[in-house]
Structure formats: C-alpha cells, structure tokens
C-alpha cells in the first residue's frame, strides 16, 4: 500500500476504527489491537515483521480462553453477519476461516492453540503463515460469503477503486 492501511479513511472513519466497530457490533466485549497503536491500546509485536500470526502471538497472552475472532483492518465491507457465520463454525472445529481467505479467522482459545502458535512461531520465525497455524490446530474452511465482503484493500489502486 505504501502507507499505513489502518489509518486510511473511508466514509469519515479509519479502517482500524471500522474493524473495531464491526467487532463490537457483533458482540465483542473485548477488542484488542495488535501493533504499536497507543490511541487504541495496541499491543506491540513480540516479534517484528512476523505478519498476522506474530500479531496473534503478541496479543494472545491478553486473551481469555473461549471463542475469538481475528480481523484484518483492510476488509472495509466486513459485516456482522459474516463474523457470526465464522464464529458459528467453531461448533464443528477449533478454528475456521473462509475458503481461500485465511483472514478473518475464528478460533477457540485454549491451551492447544497457545502451544500450537508458539510451535509455529519457532518453526517459522521469519513470518509464519496463517495457513500453517490453521492447519496446526486442525481448523476448517467454510464457504465464503458474498465476494465483496472479503474484498481487501492491498494497493493504492484497490483503495482508489473502493473509494469511488
């Protein structure tokens, strides 16, 4: 993107604030932010440049056992129904994501997940993949929602097209 995606503004709201809002609207009582985000109580990365798995590993000590969901900031169309669908899949498996999309990701936080994430971080210190973590805890993939819901903004052109 060439700049901080979290601070891009869509409809008068940053992408980070949009992500927080959809989590709260979906019923989240606690929302933790990964990264150096003092205004949002962000939790700094334990291992810099380790991607989403590194962010999860950094935040996980603050997360209580139970259902949790991880969302990236670059999904401006993410909605409550999609998060509810994803969390519902935890009735079938310890983790779930949508086919072809490692994020957003729902998981049951427990000792198994805590051990698996540490193992994946040690095995792939240069940036473990979400798919490796998902596989390590035997997560499932479920059919995706409408395509636009998981559209992400990775490039300036994506952002420009979305903003039109």
């Amino acid at each position: 993107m060439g700049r901080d995606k979290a601070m891009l503004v869509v409809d008068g709201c940053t992408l980070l604030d949009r992500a927080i809002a959809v989590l709260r609207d979906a019923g989240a009582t606690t929302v933790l932010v990964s990264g150096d985000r003092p205004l949002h109580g962000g939790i700094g990365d334990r291992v810099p440049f380790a991607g989403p798995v590194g962010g999860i590993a950094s935040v996980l000590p603050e997360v209580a056992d139970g259902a949790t969901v991880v969302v990236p900031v670059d999904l401006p169309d993410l909605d409550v129904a999609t998060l509810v669908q994803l969390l519902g899949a935890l009735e079938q498996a310890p983790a779930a994501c949508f086919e072809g999309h490692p994020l957003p990701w729902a998981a049951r936080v427990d000792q198994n997940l805590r051990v698996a994430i540490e193992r994946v971080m040690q095995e792939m210190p240069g940036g473990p993949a979400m798919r490796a973590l998902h596989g390590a805890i035997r997560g499932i993939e479920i059919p995706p929602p409408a395509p636009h819901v998981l559209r992400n903004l990775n490039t300036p052109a994506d952002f420009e097209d979305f903003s039109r």
Side-chain angles (χ1 to χ4, degrees), residues 69-70 82 85-87 89-90 93-107 130-131 134-135 138-145 150:
V69 64
V70 176
T82 300
Q85 178 185 1
L86 192 60
L87 285 163
L90 295 182
C97 66
F98 293 106
E99 293 168 354
H101 300 272
L103 291 170
W105 186 66
M130 280 300 299
R131 294 201 186 283
H134 191 67
R138 297 193 170 118
I140 62 170
E141 292 189 14
I142 62 174
L150 299 178

Side-chain angles (χ1 to χ4, degrees), residues 32-125:
L32 300 174
V33 175
S34 170
D36 185 22
R37 305 270 175 211
L39 295 177
H40 294 86
I43 297 170
D45 292 335
R46 239 178 41 189
V47 179
F49 309 110
V53 176
I56 295 167
S58 298
V59 171
L60 202 56
E62 304 299 320
V63 177
D65 283 3
T68 194
V69 64
V70 176
V71 301
V73 297
D74 62 357
L75 299 179
D77 292 322
L78 189 62
D79 58 25
V80 170
T82 300
L83 294 180
V84 168
Q85 178 185 1
L86 192 60
L87 285 163
L90 295 182
E91 293 176 14
Q92 304 168 40
C97 66
F98 293 106
E99 293 168 354
H101 300 272
L103 291 170
W105 186 66
R108 281 195 305 265
V109 175
D110 58 15
Q111 189 59 25
N112 182 50
L113 174 62
R114 294 177 195 283
V115 168
I117 199 163
E118 290 305 319
R119 186 175 63 245
V120 170
M121 288 292 292
Q122 288 174 359
E123 292 171 358
M124 307 171 91

